[in-house]
Amino acid sequence: MNNRGNFVFTSESVTEGHPDKVCDQISDAVLDEVLRQDQMGRVACETFITVGLVIVGGEISTKGFVDIQALVRRLTREIGYTDAKYGFNFETCAVLNAIGRQSPDIAQGVDIGGAGDQGLMIGYACRETPELMPLPIMLAHGLTRRLAEVRKQKILTYLGPDGKSQVTVEYRAGKPFRVDTVVVSCQHTEEILDSTGKRITKRAEEEIIQHVVKPVIGDQWLDDRTRYFVNPTGKFVTGGPQSDTGMTGRKIIVDTYGGMAPHGGGAFSGKDPTKVDRSASYMARYIAKNMVMAGLAERCTVQLAYAIGVAEPVSVMIDTHETGLVSDDTLVNLIWKHFQLTPRGIIESLDLRRPIYQQTAAYGHFGRTESAFTWERTDKAVLLKQEAGSNSVASGHPAQ
């Protein structure tokens, strides 16, 4: 992205009731339940949801036991699928358990501390928001989270669990200037349809803008030229698994940086932290955020790459997008010196063998302020700033 140019950029988010996000949450809830009973359990859990049916599959090796039926029904009830009018009912849906054991061929490499798979993982940070995240994705997440809040607090009683948002931000000289377009698509009951039965009423549209959009985006970014699209097809009565199948891992750009940064090789949800798809992405975000917080760059992209069964990353790359105060080579040396990059080291330094993952599975894995999100800490920023300015940064690469 041009650091100094004028452009518009769009990111989207989805609510916790979106079918794909339901699946992410189920897969991560299974992971959490395994970790509660067995910190060393291995989980690769996938979920599929459609009309009246949930299938949970994958590979799990654990000393514990997970009641898949009870877990699925509890979670879909908490999300809000409590009535057939929303297209899914937690009490009457069928739940199929298709979980097997992890391959011993993979386990023999992971058991000795190696990566659970090959792949490249990306971390990103920038100074656009207090969370050091891109503004478009943070606003989009704010809208979908607010949709859930006004539904659960019965501020807008006609909303259903399914929904999406999209925010287009206008940038000038490389910095956010205003919000150009807001799209909100929210599932609803028939009570807010107009006389044609094909569109929601103007009043309902105004209520959604007033109670959802404006509290999140506010006067700082909205102006009289901002465009609003609320349920642009007209209506959204049929939603949830009745309208779309859902699968784990299909909202990876929603999970990360809203398209402002590249995405690595894999999804996160349902994977225990020996899988570097997840844990190394968290470490890459941790590194990038500390670099930006240290004032060493305005924007920072970090790439880590691994070979299956091998502990140390095969490559470490940093790109400060021409905003760095020192060379990228110097920053790479700082990464090797001050961050644990093996799967075991990542797990230990970020304390990842805990049941913290269900809460990551909706509204993004990054830019969160909850204490469980250890990869959002900036505890190394002062050290990095001091050492980068000392002119004594030596390479910490294990091969040198």
Side-chain angles (χ1 to χ4, degrees):
M1 201 65 61
N2 191 328
N3 295 322
R4 293 172 293 276
N6 299 335
F7 56 91
V8 293
F9 193 89
T10 301
S11 293
E12 71 161 347
S13 181
V14 298
T15 66
E16 62 205 59
H18 186 282
D20 292 331
K21 273 292 149 210
V22 173
C23 292
D24 285 344
Q25 291 168 90
I26 291 171
S27 295
D28 271 339
V30 171
L31 170 59
D32 281 351
E33 190 56 38
V34 168
L35 292 177
R36 284 188 186 96
Q37 303 175 49
D38 178 9
Q39 282 193 332
M40 304 306 291
R42 302 266 174 76
V43 177
C45 181
E46 308 283 348
T47 304
F48 169 82
I49 193 169
T50 187
V51 181
L53 173 65
V54 178
I55 302 174
V56 182
E59 300 79 44
I60 297 179
S61 297
T62 180
K63 299 174 184 177
F65 170 75
V66 180
D67 186 338
I68 298 295
Q69 286 260 351
L71 182 149
V72 169
R73 296 188 194 283
R74 171 187 62 80
L75 187 55
T76 50
R77 182 188 72 244
E78 291 174 356
I79 290 171
Y81 284 111
T82 57
D83 194 298
K85 67 182 179 181
Y86 298 130
F88 195 84
N89 190 312
F90 79 98
E91 291 182 300
T92 59
C93 67
V95 180
L96 298 182
N97 183 345
I99 293 174
R101 292 184 63 83
Q102 184 186 49
S103 164
D105 295 346
I106 296 175
Q108 68 180 8
V110 178
D111 290 342
I112 60 174
D117 201 353
Q118 71 176 46
L120 57 108
M121 294 78 204
I122 301 293
Y124 181 79
C126 64
R127 288 208 167 271
E128 293 182 14
T129 65
E131 300 85 3
L132 303 187
M133 286 284 288
L135 181 64
I137 187 63
M138 294 305 292
L139 294 179
H141 284 323
L143 292 176
T144 50
R145 190 185 286 273
R146 181 63 180 165
L147 278 173
E149 288 175 356
V150 298
R151 171 174 60 89
K152 292 178 178 180
Q153 295 172 10
K154 301 189 184 305
I155 296 171
L156 299 179
T157 58
Y158 46 77
L159 292 182
D162 197 358
K164 303 177 77 171
S165 70
Q166 186 171 284
V167 178
T168 301
V169 174
E170 179 184 341
Y171 285 73
R172 293 190 182 179
K175 297 184 182 301
F177 180 72
R178 58 181 289 274
V179 168
D180 179 79
T181 307
V182 178
V183 182
V184 177
S185 296
C186 45
Q187 185 184 14
H188 58 86
T189 56
E190 293 185 351
E191 67 187 83
I192 61 168
L193 294 177
D194 65 13
S195 58
T196 70
K198 295 181 179 182
R199 301 194 64 84
I200 63 172
T201 63
K202 187 66 175 177
R203 177 180 177 181
E205 181 178 338
E206 291 172 350
E207 286 178 342
I208 293 166
I209 293 172
Q210 183 66 34
H211 291 287
V212 178
V213 177
K214 290 186 176 180
V216 171
I217 301 181
D219 294 337
Q220 178 184 3
W221 303 112
L222 299 173
D223 60 28
D224 56 6
R225 294 187 296 124
T226 301
R227 296 178 297 168
Y228 302 93
F229 295 94
V230 178
N231 286 6
T233 65
K235 65 177 184 177
F236 189 179
V237 173
T238 303
Q242 184 178 8
S243 63
D244 285 306
T245 59
M247 294 185 69
T248 300
R250 288 207 301 200
K251 287 292 177 284
I252 59 176
I253 302 303
V254 171
D255 287 340
T256 55
Y257 306 102
M260 188 68 79
H263 187 92
F268 303 153
S269 290
K271 297 177 181 178
D272 74 78
T274 67
K275 279 73 171 175
V276 286
D277 277 344
R278 178 171 226 156
S279 56
S281 294
Y282 292 173
M283 176 54 75
R285 162 65 176 172
Y286 180 50
I287 294 168
K289 188 173 184 181
N290 275 273
M291 292 290 183
V292 172
M293 179 59 74
L296 300 179
E298 291 290 309
R299 294 175 55 214
C300 181
T301 301
V302 174
Q303 184 196 74
L304 306 175
Y306 292 81
I308 188 168
V310 180
E312 295 284 353
V314 298
S315 71
V316 175
M317 184 279 295
I318 190 167
D319 182 0
T320 55
H321 308 277
E322 300 180 354
T323 69
L325 295 186
V326 297
S327 71
D328 289 352
D329 286 344
T330 296
L331 298 181
V332 168
N333 288 336
L334 283 172
I335 293 171
W336 281 110
K337 184 174 183 180
H338 293 294
F339 295 91
Q340 299 185 59
L341 302 179
T342 66
R344 186 171 293 165
I346 294 171
I347 290 168
E348 291 175 357
S349 60
L350 298 181
D351 194 14
L352 296 180
R353 291 196 187 277
R354 297 175 295 143
I356 60 173
Y357 295 103
Q358 182 185 329
Q359 63 188 305
T360 71
Y363 312 117
H365 293 244
F366 307 120
R368 305 283 290 271
T369 59
E370 299 94 323
S371 60
F373 292 70
T374 52
W375 48 94
E376 293 297 313
R377 298 179 310 200
T378 54
D379 52 321
K380 290 186 181 290
V382 172
L383 175 63
L384 293 172
K385 183 175 182 178
Q386 290 173 343
E387 188 145 344
S390 70
N391 297 317
S392 61
V393 182
S395 173
H397 193 295
Q400 294 182 327

